[in-house]
Amino acid sequence: MKQNQNFSETIFALSSGRLPSGVGVIRISGPQTRFAIETICGNLPVPRQAELRTFRDALGNPVDRGLLLFFPNPYSFTGEDCGEFHLHGGRAVVDAMISLLYTFDNCRLAEPGEFTRRAFANGKFDLTVAEGLADLIAAETDGQRRLALQIASGSQVQLYSSWRSEMIRARALIEAELDFADESDVPGSVSDQVWIAMRDLAERIEQHVADGKRGAIVRDGFRVVIVGAPNAGKSSLLNALAGTDVAIVSDEPGTTRDLIEIKLDLGGLAVLLTDTAGLRETEGRVEQIGIERALDRAHAADLVLLLTDMANPLPAPFIELGAIDTLHIGTKLDAAGMTTSRSYDLTVSIRSGQGMDDLMGALRSRAKRAAGNLADPLPTRRRHMELLGETSREINHAVNDQTAPLEVRAEYLRRASHALGRITGDVDVEDILDVVFSQFCIGK
């Protein structure tokens, strides 16, 4: 059960976004909701049915005319009495209604995420669903939308709850062996069965953590870094992919000295494309710093585009990419003449556009492959990954520490289930609630 809280204050906020707009929706939730609606509109509407009403101030003067909705507790988003005033979306109209709501006792403007936090506190959903709602609001690509919608629908909590149930059942069997070891109707060493099941569970959790990289790619973007010698066409390629001039292009070597990053939407997936300083031996301290940053970013990339000017191929020093996925791209195809392209994965001419469709297709396919199947419930946040890692470590301690007393091994499982419960909010998580709900906009 989630921790229930007694909210004595009624909160309200504009929930429909930036003004002016066609419609401005003001949401209200809390114990004064019924009184405020009756005072402003005369009486309550039929629950969950929109009614056209005139909204009036304390002197009976009309503020606006629009739709009114009322959701009685506990059948509302927050679990409290909740209402919505659908106004015309002008600043003066919305300001007048907000000023009117301030006149009611114990009514105040909501803080960011406070409606959702009250819904969580009243047991309407778990913490992962709340985080899914935050991601849904922030989604910029179709992939981010689909992943966030899946989490918000509860698929993640269902998976974690089933794992937690397995651990609770395992602890119950161990405790039964401890408490009734002398009883004839208790099978001998039921804990042997437990450790086999727990080893399998630890492996499933570890695979889930490994899949978390896919969730991070969908949520934060597939990281592509462009590297190469000076004048290899890195900034020109960035501008071409961006469709606008975001980087300075010059024949002078060393023009780009810092990282320049853009975000693309390729096939519904976010791709973060970074232009870097040209790799060469240099005495300039500023340029050296740029090269160091380029190498650091390349080693953290999901994909590196290593560019070479085919008309004037120059070596790119320092670059050792190891196992990082790398596409070797020959540039300036229009000026390269009969230069062979056998040593390149792709060849392009940014000026004529030749080969650019192939490059875009390669970026799209690699991002899609890295994201994998978005139908799977994936951990998308660092705190999920850390707590899942803690869960699997505690289970492995319980499984592998065979010389420890059963009481100690059972305690490892208790700690594992506690760590897993912190993800969903089934145990005390006050230290992270402020962080989670501060990500929401006011009115959500």
Side-chain angles (χ1 to χ4, degrees):
M1 287 292 291
K2 308 243 179 352
Q3 180 182 2
N4 290 311
Q5 300 181 25
N6 179 26
F7 296 104
S8 61
E9 294 180 310
T10 297
I11 57 174
F12 57 86
L14 177 68
S15 296
S16 53
R18 183 175 300 176
L19 301 175
S21 60
V23 177
V25 179
I26 294 179
R27 174 183 285 176
I28 182 171
S29 179
Q32 285 284 76
T33 297
R34 291 172 182 258
F35 179 70
I37 290 176
E38 289 172 342
T39 302
I40 295 171
C41 305
N43 60 295
L44 293 172
V46 177
R48 292 173 295 282
Q49 291 187 20
E51 295 186 12
L52 182 63
R53 296 292 186 88
T54 298
F55 310 133
R56 300 182 184 275
D57 63 18
L59 299 177
N61 299 315
V63 173
D64 194 16
R65 184 170 173 80
L67 294 179
L68 173 67
L69 283 161
F70 175 65
F71 306 90
N73 74 83
Y75 306 108
S76 70
F77 175 73
T78 62
E80 306 172 319
D81 284 343
C82 192
E84 291 181 0
F85 301 95
H86 291 235
L87 313 164
H88 293 93
R91 290 188 178 89
V93 175
V94 172
D95 287 346
M97 178 61 79
I98 287 177
S99 297
L100 177 57
L101 291 173
Y102 264 121
T103 64
F104 293 94
D105 292 339
N106 291 320
C107 285
R108 62 169 175 82
L109 195 66
E111 297 176 357
E114 192 167 3
F115 288 96
T116 308
R117 183 163 183 166
R118 289 192 176 197
F120 166 77
N122 288 324
K124 304 301 290 186
F125 45 68
D126 83 296
L127 203 51
T128 62
V129 172
E131 290 171 322
L133 289 173
D135 289 344
L136 192 60
I137 293 169
E140 296 178 339
T141 68
D142 188 61
Q144 291 171 339
R145 177 193 63 80
R146 285 187 287 152
L147 182 60
L149 187 61
Q150 181 197 73
I151 295 171
S153 69
S155 62
Q156 200 173 44
V157 67
Q158 291 173 9
L159 177 64
Y160 296 164
S161 294
S162 69
W163 288 347
R164 198 157 180 255
S165 296
E166 287 184 51
M167 284 185 276
I168 291 173
R169 181 176 179 275
R171 287 169 53 199
L173 289 172
I174 292 172
E175 288 168 8
E177 182 169 328
L178 288 169
D179 293 341
F180 305 105
D182 297 331
E183 300 292 332
S184 59
D185 58 345
V186 176
S189 194
V190 295
S191 59
D192 290 344
Q193 307 167 31
V194 167
W195 305 132
I196 294 173
M198 289 299 97
R199 181 177 287 107
D200 175 71
L201 176 58
E203 290 174 356
R204 281 181 279 151
I205 293 174
E206 287 161 7
Q207 182 59 53
H208 184 65
V209 171
D211 289 341
K213 181 175 174 60
R214 296 195 289 116
I217 286 173
V218 175
R219 186 172 185 268
D220 302 325
F222 182 70
R223 298 165 298 175
V224 179
V225 177
I226 306 172
V227 299
N231 289 338
K234 299 183 297 299
S235 297
S236 297
L237 179 61
L238 183 80
N239 290 342
L241 293 174
T244 186
D245 292 338
V246 294
I248 298 173
V249 176
S250 171
D251 292 333
E252 179 183 342
T255 302
T256 301
R257 297 190 175 189
D258 205 350
L259 304 175
I260 301 175
E261 187 172 84
I262 62 169
K263 182 179 289 186
L264 304 177
D265 183 345
L266 296 183
L269 295 172
V271 174
L272 300 179
L273 192 65
T274 305
D275 181 22
T276 63
L279 303 179
R280 65 171 180 169
E281 299 283 355
T282 180
E283 298 296 328
R285 181 56 187 152
V286 174
E287 193 173 352
Q288 287 177 355
I289 294 173
I291 291 172
E292 291 170 2
R293 291 181 177 179
L295 296 172
D296 288 342
R297 186 60 64 90
H299 287 121
D302 299 306
L303 174 66
V304 169
L305 304 183
L306 179 56
L307 271 56
T308 301
D309 177 358
M310 292 190 296
N312 182 29
L314 296 174
F318 317 120
I319 192 73
E320 295 180 5
L321 297 174
I324 298 173
D325 190 14
T326 303
L327 278 177
H328 294 266
I329 299 175
T331 62
K332 305 183 183 179
L333 181 61
D334 54 316
M338 298 301 293
T339 300
T340 179
S341 62
R342 291 180 180 176
S343 59
Y344 305 108
D345 297 312
L346 294 169
T347 57
V348 301
S349 169
I350 298 167
R351 178 176 295 175
S352 69
Q354 187 177 355
M356 290 298 292
D357 287 343
D358 292 337
L359 175 57
M360 290 292 283
L363 292 177
R364 189 178 295 108
S365 65
R366 276 171 162 76
K368 184 177 180 180
R369 185 175 63 198
N373 184 7
L374 297 184
D376 300 331
L378 301 173
T380 58
R381 294 174 179 254
R382 180 179 297 275
R383 77 172 196 92
H384 297 175
M385 304 288 279
E386 291 175 349
L387 289 169
L388 286 166
E390 182 180 340
T391 301
S392 65
R393 285 193 299 273
E394 295 292 351
I395 294 175
N396 282 321
H397 283 318
V399 171
N400 297 324
D401 194 358
Q402 299 179 13
T403 60
L406 277 181
E407 294 90 340
V408 173
R409 301 174 78 181
E411 174 61 15
Y412 284 134
L413 292 183
R414 187 199 66 78
R415 290 165 60 174
S417 62
H418 180 84
L420 196 60
R422 284 174 59 85
I423 299 177
T424 60
D426 287 321
V427 296
D428 182 26
V429 289
E430 282 297 323
D431 55 332
I432 62 172
L433 289 184
D434 290 340
V435 175
V436 170
F437 292 107
S438 65
Q439 300 171 52
F440 287 86
C441 57
I442 293 174
K444 184 58 179 173

